[in-house]
Amino acid sequence: MNIILLGPPGAGKGTQARHLVETRGMVQLSTGDMLREAKDSGTEMGKIVADVMARGALVTDEIVIGLIREKLADKTEHGGFIFDGFPRTLPQADALGALMEAEGQTLDAVIEMRVDDEALVDRITARSTCGSCGEVYNDNTKPIPADGKCTSCGGTEFKRRADDNEESLKTRLMAYYKQTSPLIGYYYAKGMLSDVDGLAEIEAVQGSIAAVLDA
């Protein structure tokens, strides 16, 4: 099963993707992770990515699609792909659809993680992550344990993103709504869109996503 997770910054896409990787054996395709992996791979595509990043230039849609094509060509057994952070625009959605068809793959579900902007700002400005495993903590709802150790891996270093502040987050939200929110209508028209409450408790969101995938 191949799915797309849609939602603004901080909606919890990464957290839910990790859960699907652990419980369903799916493969998370995060644009940032793929670029970093490619840069260090030494492959022809990797050399292109490394050159672009070294020049500080923007990575083109063609490069990202090329990286996804390489992942789709890997026939290792798994539970399907999770597209996290791609597509972001309508042209990218068209390109991904064409690639999936060319590779004999199908896109089975698109899940929108709906959020309330003000509540999202409150959540993200209180967020920190484990520097070792990426486990997410929140000052209000899931504080860092009193012993200073991550409950997932035991790590003791925690960090906050520099742009996890109200002004930066509102700028990122505006960019999301301008570029990516049209995808909601795009996939709705294709009969592929489902939505879940992205601000519910993590376990509740996991259950809602499972219900969509198992339907």
Side-chain angles (χ1 to χ4, degrees):
M1 174 172 281
N2 302 313
I3 69 171
I4 293 173
L5 293 180
L6 284 179
K13 299 185 296 297
T15 297
Q16 294 302 324
R18 285 195 297 273
H19 178 72
L20 293 171
V21 169
E22 293 169 2
T23 59
R24 294 178 180 251
M26 301 180 77
V27 176
Q28 181 183 4
L29 296 185
S30 164
T31 303
D33 289 344
M34 285 193 297
L35 290 172
R36 285 187 288 272
E37 179 184 326
K39 181 172 70 72
D40 299 328
S41 68
T43 65
E44 287 306 311
M45 181 62 72
K47 292 175 183 177
I48 294 173
V49 170
D51 177 64
V52 170
M53 296 177 75
R55 290 187 283 109
L58 292 175
V59 177
T60 65
D61 290 353
E62 289 75 15
I63 289 176
V64 178
I65 285 291
L67 295 175
I68 293 174
R69 182 181 291 109
E70 289 184 348
K71 295 294 186 181
L72 294 181
D74 183 354
K75 300 306 179 184
T76 303
E77 288 291 323
H78 54 73
F81 293 104
I82 307 162
F83 294 97
D84 171 15
F86 190 92
R88 292 181 184 272
T89 64
L90 292 176
Q92 289 177 354
D94 284 335
L96 178 60
L99 173 62
M100 298 288 282
E101 183 176 355
E103 295 294 324
Q105 299 263 11
T106 58
L107 187 59
D108 301 293
V110 179
I111 300 174
E112 177 199 1
M113 299 180 65
R114 291 182 291 101
V115 300
D116 172 85
D117 286 359
E118 289 189 13
L120 183 66
V121 170
D122 289 342
R123 174 205 270 185
I124 299 307
T125 53
R127 181 174 68 175
S128 56
T129 59
C130 172
S132 299
C133 71
E135 183 74 14
V136 180
Y137 294 87
N138 184 284
D139 296 344
N140 304 314
T141 60
K142 184 185 174 182
I144 295 170
D147 63 3
K149 294 183 179 180
C150 174
T151 55
S152 179
C153 73
T156 57
E157 292 188 12
F158 300 89
K159 58 185 179 181
R160 292 185 189 266
R161 280 180 50 158
D163 56 355
D164 275 355
N165 59 74
E166 185 170 351
E167 183 177 350
S168 294
L169 183 57
K170 287 182 175 179
T171 300
R172 289 155 61 199
L173 284 171
M174 183 61 68
Y176 169 79
Y177 289 123
K178 287 175 65 176
Q179 285 192 323
T180 308
S181 61
L183 295 177
I184 294 168
Y186 177 93
Y187 287 116
Y188 175 82
K190 291 179 174 290
M192 302 171 65
L193 184 73
S194 299
D195 60 71
V196 302
D197 179 3
L199 290 180
E201 293 296 323
I202 290 176
E203 292 78 8
V205 181
Q206 290 171 354
S208 297
I209 291 175
V212 171
L213 301 187
D214 294 337

